[in-house]
Amino acid sequence: MSTQYALVLNSGSSSIKFQVLDPKADSTEPPFVSGIVEKIGEKNGHIKIQTETTKMEDTRPILSHSVGLERAFGMMSLLGVGPQELDLRAVGHRVVHGGEEFHAPELIEGDVLDRLKALIPLAPLHNPANIDGIENAQALLPNVPHVAVFDTAFFSTLPEAAANYALNAEVAREHNIRRYGFHGTSHEYVSRQVPGLLDKDPSEVKQITLHLGNGASATAIDGGKAVDTSMGLTPLAGLVMGTRTGDIDPGIIFHLTRSTDMDIDEIDNLLNRKSGLKGMAGVNDFRELQKLVDDGDKDAKLAHDVYIHTLRRFIGSYLLNLGGVDAITFTAGVGENAVGVRRDALAGLENFGIEIDDARNANEEGIEGARKISTDNSKVKVFVVPTNEELAIARYADELANQA
Ligand code: ADP
């Protein structure tokens, strides 16, 4: 039987990222096809399609998301790997905000799109692009089941004490203001591998997962259920990120409103896009930050130190609330690669049963898959587990398509 593939779409405000992959593949296997449509609406719109053996690029204006997607599918067909040729089993869509409506991946049929549209006020920057992506893909691939996979779903188990803000209850209820959490697909995918690495039953495992990419978040998990997480109503909260502040005193926003001429959208932009590592040190790429630190740049050093300090603050809080953990796991671009971040985040915690093995922690060429970086004596096991959100979405999409 020929391989049956799933298409995974991540539709953002000015770009669409996608992969065609085998949901049954091993997590280290590269996708069969990957592509990006970027700079939608700009003069230098760009589409890039890549397979294991070839690639194709096209630079010219892309008027809309639907034009971009159709053109990308056309380029894939020219390479012989178009959605029509591949006998696609399912299309999985990454949807950022599932609100209180969606607690698990969902087949997109009936009133699902309407329920998604009703959530736009909760994620005005992300959900409209996700919905647009679903509608465009459904128009181009009407005979394939489409599945929505939510960044928030894994956190529907948060206890009320962790999910609620001490905000006026009436206002919070009326506007659905609570901690939703994000990166759930990644935290779930990574955390599910940990019981196997510990040789324990999932119900017995207490763990912390640290997704450190451009966006970053920490999650406390007890018996497979998320019990706390660092992102909130929006992905702005929590850890220091590439361009986002993470937690700040909300009073800063009032102060800026009163003492500058910035309007609320400018402040939103400042906190989401011009802060974090980029705002403090001028670069959001962690490798560049590390280079600047090595060169003695003071701003970069401060940004780095605030990043680590904030990370430790969350790890400490989750350790306490879980009453100790069996494992701490690093994932995503920074978590999987930045040896120094892993070392500094957990330095000096021997009294808490946490001991990193420097040799294991050092990256070695060719290391793929999950690995332990703590010493054999360390009571708490520390792991690096590569995340693969696309594969996780492909698996959900395939699973729900089989039930359709
Ligand atoms: P996202 O999916 O959130 O855009 P990724 O998970 O790909 O992000 O992570 C991107 C981040 O990972 C960037 O800041 C990048 O600098 C960092 N990164 C990638 N490789 C390394 C490395 N070898 N050392 C340190 N940081 C790295």
Side-chain angles (χ1 to χ4, degrees):
M1 200 174 76
S2 66
T3 313
Q4 293 192 311
Y5 291 101
L7 169 69
V8 174
L9 276 173
N10 183 353
S11 196
S13 58
S14 68
S15 73
I16 308 167
K17 293 185 197 137
F18 56 90
Q19 290 189 1
V20 175
L21 58 175
D22 174 4
K24 297 186 176 60
D26 181 68
S27 64
T28 55
E29 221 171 278
F32 185 60
V33 185
S34 62
I36 182 163
V37 180
E38 55 192 343
K39 303 194 173 164
I40 298 170
E42 291 179 39
K43 266 193 262 165
N44 53 343
H46 183 235
I47 303 178
K48 183 168 157 189
I49 312 283
Q50 193 154 4
T51 71
E52 240 180 307
T53 51
T54 175
K55 76 176 181 196
M56 186 184 256
E57 294 192 55
D58 183 27
T59 305
R60 63 191 149 122
I62 303 168
L63 280 182
S64 65
H65 283 67
S66 66
V67 168
L69 193 61
E70 194 170 0
R71 220 183 274 164
F73 284 177
M75 287 165 67
M76 286 160 72
S77 291
L78 287 175
L79 293 173
V81 292
Q84 320 296 347
E85 290 92 62
L86 286 179
D87 178 27
L88 280 183
R89 278 290 304 146
V91 183
H93 296 267
R94 179 182 183 206
V95 179
V96 170
H97 217 308
E100 289 180 270
E101 271 293 305
F102 297 99
H103 294 171
E106 189 124 5
L107 201 63
I108 307 169
E109 56 181 10
D111 64 353
V112 168
L113 261 176
D114 289 336
R115 285 160 61 209
L116 272 174
K117 285 178 185 165
L119 291 175
I120 288 177
L122 275 178
L125 298 179
H126 294 107
N127 274 29
N130 298 158
I131 292 168
D132 195 39
I134 293 171
E135 291 183 322
N136 294 331
Q138 281 187 324
L140 291 169
L141 302 168
N143 300 320
V144 185
H146 291 249
V147 172
V149 180
F150 301 92
D151 256 27
T152 47
F154 183 52
F155 305 110
S156 62
T157 55
L158 289 187
E160 290 301 308
N164 282 271
Y165 294 111
L167 181 68
N168 177 283
E170 222 173 285
V171 172
R173 254 197 306 272
E174 189 180 341
H175 298 282
N176 302 308
I177 295 173
R178 56 189 279 132
R179 180 183 306 284
Y180 290 98
F182 299 87
H183 291 150
T185 309
S186 176
H187 285 287
E188 183 174 25
Y189 174 82
V190 165
S191 65
R192 277 194 176 179
Q193 295 181 46
V194 170
L197 297 170
L198 294 169
D199 203 14
K200 282 194 168 177
D201 190 82
S203 66
E204 292 169 5
V205 175
K206 294 182 181 202
Q207 55 173 317
I208 297 170
T209 47
L210 303 165
H211 176 110
L212 310 178
N214 223 331
S217 58
T219 297
I221 300 163
D222 190 351
K225 291 196 166 80
V227 293
D228 207 351
T229 194
S230 59
M231 284 177 165
L233 172 78
T234 76
L236 179 57
L239 303 176
V240 175
M241 308 183 215
T243 65
R244 297 184 205 135
T245 54
D247 283 355
I248 56 166
D249 176 355
I252 292 170
I253 298 167
F254 314 132
H255 179 71
L256 288 172
T257 310
R258 295 190 183 113
S259 57
T260 73
D261 56 9
M262 277 190 269
D263 66 23
I264 202 68
D265 290 326
E266 287 170 308
I267 297 176
D268 187 330
N269 197 37
L270 177 80
L271 268 48
N272 270 298
R273 300 207 179 83
K274 293 190 191 167
S275 294
L277 301 177
K278 174 133 184 124
M280 290 190 76
V283 295
N284 64 301
D285 189 294
F286 213 91
R287 283 164 292 198
E288 289 175 38
L289 183 83
Q290 282 172 325
K291 249 185 247 137
L292 289 174
V293 173
D294 293 344
D295 292 346
D297 184 296
K298 287 205 172 66
D299 292 339
K301 172 82 170 79
L302 181 61
H304 178 271
D305 291 351
V306 174
Y307 184 98
I308 298 291
H309 182 82
T310 311
L311 189 54
R312 289 174 67 95
R313 182 186 283 156
F314 276 90
I315 295 169
S317 133
Y318 294 169
L319 273 176
L320 195 84
N321 275 338
L322 286 166
V325 296
D326 302 287
I328 299 175
T329 303
F330 291 87
T331 194
V334 176
E336 290 168 32
N337 296 295
V339 178
V341 168
R342 297 194 297 254
R343 181 195 58 223
D344 296 348
L346 300 176
L349 300 181
E350 292 77 11
N351 284 344
F352 293 84
I354 302 171
E355 200 175 48
I356 294 275
D357 181 310
D358 287 335
R360 287 179 183 160
N361 185 34
N363 287 329
E364 286 163 37
E365 284 297 318
I367 289 187
E368 278 183 344
R371 63 199 171 99
K372 186 170 89 169
I373 59 165
S374 47
T375 63
D376 290 335
N377 285 332
S378 186
K379 203 166 142 274
V380 175
K381 307 299 174 212
V382 184
F383 298 108
V384 176
V385 178
T387 192
N388 193 337
E389 287 162 287
E390 291 79 13
L391 181 60
I393 293 173
R395 287 178 179 168
Y396 283 127
D398 186 54
E399 195 182 308
L400 267 79
N402 280 330
Q403 294 164 16

